[in-house]
Amino acid sequence: MEYISKTVTLKNGKTCLIRRGEEQDAELLIEHWKTTAAETRNLTRELSEDDLTVEEQRALIREKNGEENVLNLLAFVDGQHAGNCAFNPVEDSLRVRHRCAVGIALYQKFCGMGVGTALLSEILAAAKAAGYERAELEAVSTNAPAIGLYKKLGFEVIGTMPQALRYQDGTYADFLLMTKRL
């Protein structure tokens, strides 16, 4: 999906460039995954699970950029990569084509600056423009900052999935299932 880059001013006065991910971002995206997976337990995969090569990541970006119902946006604050946000179809069957799944991950040092609000606002507007009627996401029930962001942007909790994540140490986390009408 095409996207026209945007620059927004964050609440701390810094500038944030939001643009579509491109093939040349492959290494940057691999590093983002490794760092954010190590920083938080709020993502669905363990650090050890994602071992894409740079070429595989480039191919994935190329494939996704060729689709009209998928978008991955990257945010840069003062030139530094701050995080990503994306939407994908829930499924391709006719009865659920109106729904998209949304995901976002920021480096911890960029949380609380308004980057998440800017990225998620852009991805929701793009999802609506792509024809989606409903956005859905799952949030770890103890991730209060993320849940606050989602609620601020109009998401509602529609249920809980107990023990949705099982960590390597044997503990669990519940998901809040959240949705927003676009």
Side-chain angles (χ1 to χ4, degrees):
M1 179 175 181
E2 292 298 319
Y3 177 81
I4 298 171
S5 299
K6 248 182 212 179
T7 302
V8 298
T9 302
L10 302 174
K11 55 187 177 184
N12 63 3
K14 293 185 180 242
T15 59
C16 177
L17 170 68
I18 300 173
R19 67 168 175 79
R20 185 176 83 160
E22 299 294 345
E23 287 182 55
Q24 67 267 19
D25 297 318
E27 289 181 63
L28 180 117
L29 291 170
I30 290 169
E31 182 59 33
H32 176 259
W33 168 253
K34 289 177 182 176
T35 301
T36 55
E39 287 180 335
T40 181
R41 291 169 48 112
N42 294 324
L43 302 176
T44 58
R45 297 180 68 171
E46 293 286 345
L47 177 59
S48 60
E49 289 184 282
D50 204 1
D51 58 355
L52 286 179
T53 67
V54 173
E55 277 309 310
E56 290 169 332
Q57 183 69 50
R58 282 188 186 125
L60 183 62
I61 294 167
R62 186 171 42 254
E63 175 190 333
K64 296 296 183 185
N65 281 352
E67 297 178 24
E68 287 302 314
N69 59 349
V70 173
L71 182 63
N72 183 29
L73 295 179
L74 283 62
F76 296 85
V77 176
D78 291 340
Q80 280 192 294
H81 182 220
N84 308 336
C85 190
F87 68 76
N88 296 285
V90 170
E91 277 185 41
D92 196 34
S93 57
L94 288 172
R95 292 183 179 181
V96 295
R97 281 191 189 157
H98 65 291
R99 297 165 45 206
C100 68
V102 174
I104 184 170
L106 303 180
Y107 287 109
Q108 290 296 308
K109 70 180 184 178
F110 292 103
C111 291
M113 299 171 64
V115 176
T117 301
L119 260 178
L120 196 52
S121 295
E122 285 298 306
I123 212 73
L124 292 171
K128 183 175 183 173
Y132 289 108
E133 298 173 22
R134 177 176 152 158
E136 303 172 6
L137 56 81
E138 299 164 337
V140 172
S141 63
T142 56
N143 190 354
I147 293 164
L149 167 64
Y150 305 146
K151 286 182 175 180
K152 177 174 83 171
L153 293 179
F155 281 87
E156 297 177 49
V157 175
I158 59 166
T160 302
M161 185 185 303
Q163 298 181 329
L165 296 180
R166 184 178 182 277
Y167 300 113
Q168 288 181 324
D169 64 8
T171 61
Y172 295 89
D174 298 344
F175 271 158
L176 295 183
L177 308 175
M178 302 181 77
T179 186
K180 173 185 171 62
R181 186 134 177 91
L182 299 176

